[in-house]
Amino acid sequence: INLGNSCYMNSVLECLRHCGPLIRYLFGHSFQKDRVCFTNRKPAEQAFAGEFRSLMNKLESSQAGHAEAPMNILRFLMLLNPVFGYRQQADAQECINTILQVLHTALTVNVKINNMPGIGNSDSFELQRLGNGRYAGHIKANGYSIVEELFGSQFLSKLVYEDCEHVSYSHDPYSIVPVPI
């Protein structure tokens, strides 16, 4: 149900509702097991994750055609990011970024990263090693969660200097790819 200029949020919630791996995680054994290991104890983010799970459960179990009013989700969004004021128009990309960041913060667990040996020629092995190291640093700094697993990735950039033909590579983490229309 539109809560007054909340179509941006409703479209994001519908998209996330149909993200099968995320929904299976929220209602599966892994979520219950991970709750013991959550390293972040921020109450607002934890409460948002619980409310998000509750809304997804209502949407999954409701009869066809029954609509929900995600007022509690909107209240949390307004609390966590002032851009989402009541009855104010906002951006869907900013909404999904906020929701994913809050869920990531709430669902972060401690992990140990083991770099696996690379495959292929020595150049590709070196790129894999550098990428794995960069990803391990990203996880150490930002934590690991189901959100990172499902929505996180890395760009591999290659820069060739024309004067000396030196090649430089960089690995940059991202979770959203903006597509101009």
Side-chain angles (χ1 to χ4, degrees), residues 37-110:
C37 303
F38 289 152
T39 58
N40 179 323
R41 299 294 177 224
K42 293 185 176 180
E45 286 83 351
Q46 293 291 325
F48 178 86
E51 187 59 38
F52 181 81
R53 184 176 187 265
S54 175
L55 176 64
M56 293 299 121
N57 186 41
K58 288 176 188 174
L59 292 173
E60 288 295 313
S61 62
S62 69
Q63 298 173 355
H66 178 74
E68 292 290 330
M71 185 52 113
N72 288 338
I73 296 290
L74 181 58
R75 284 185 185 126
F76 274 112
L77 286 175
M78 291 182 334
L79 172 71
L80 296 166
N81 188 341
V83 168
F84 303 110
Y86 187 63
R87 296 194 180 276
Q88 292 182 13
Q89 184 61 37
D91 182 64
Q93 182 180 351
E94 191 163 12
C95 183
I96 196 166
N97 280 337
T98 299
I99 288 174
L100 292 178
Q101 182 58 48
V102 171
L103 288 174
H104 170 72
T105 301
L107 303 175
T108 297
V109 293
N110 288 323

Side-chain angles (χ1 to χ4, degrees), residues 1 22 33 46 63 71 94 98 115 135 159-160 162:
I1 296 174
L22 178 62
K33 184 179 80 175
Q46 293 291 325
Q63 298 173 355
M71 185 52 113
E94 191 163 12
T98 299
N115 285 332
Y135 183 70
L159 182 63
V160 179
E162 290 182 11

